[in-house]
Amino acid sequence: MDQLAGVLDDLDLIRWPRKRSSRHPFQNNELTMLKAEEDELSDTDLTEIYKKHLERLEQQGIDISDAQSKASEEARPLHNHGVFSKAERALTIAGWSEGVRRDIWIFRVVDQEGLTPLLVVLNESYEEQQRAAEEPSAT
């Protein structure tokens, strides 16, 4: 994979996330923004909702000593799963080593002539894909 990324980079088909530009010196670069996304708490974490629910049950005198309730009480908030977490998970599933998973390289695909059909598919929304699949074929 590293060799493939190197070849694609040499061909200017992918690029490393951009650094801060001289025209926008106070704007974070792409890599900084991706790392900051990983530091955030998850918007979809249900931990606090479960804890509040358990507090209400306890106030009503309902026994919450079961294993599931204890696990919810002791759960820690989840971090946001940004692009780095998702890439690490994909490498874990693929069986890559722990050291490799900690040093993830993220590249952006560059819009190049000849790649346009590929980029259109990658950038197309799910809804657009569904509409295209539902349209009757012209055969």
Side-chain angles (χ1 to χ4, degrees), residues 60-113:
Q60 294 172 8
I62 298 172
D63 181 30
I64 58 166
S65 61
D66 60 288
Q68 184 178 3
S69 296
K70 289 291 181 198
S72 292
E73 274 185 314
E74 296 169 2
R76 288 183 267 161
L78 298 174
H79 80 288
N80 188 44
H81 295 287
V83 70
F84 292 121
S85 297
K86 292 171 184 170
E88 182 183 19
R89 179 69 180 136
L91 295 174
T92 299
I93 291 168
W96 287 45
S97 72
E98 191 264 334
V100 171
R101 293 190 320 256
R102 285 186 305 157
D103 187 24
I104 297 170
W105 293 9
I106 301 294
F107 291 92
R108 295 255 186 209
V109 177
V110 176
D111 191 3
Q112 291 284 342
E113 189 174 327

Side-chain angles (χ1 to χ4, degrees), residues 1-21:
M1 281 308 247
D2 290 343
Q3 289 79 11
L4 176 60
V7 169
L8 295 174
D9 187 33
D10 290 345
L11 293 172
D12 292 325
L13 298 177
I14 60 173
R15 67 173 175 77
W16 189 253
R18 289 200 175 106
K19 296 188 183 222
R20 191 173 304 154
S21 72

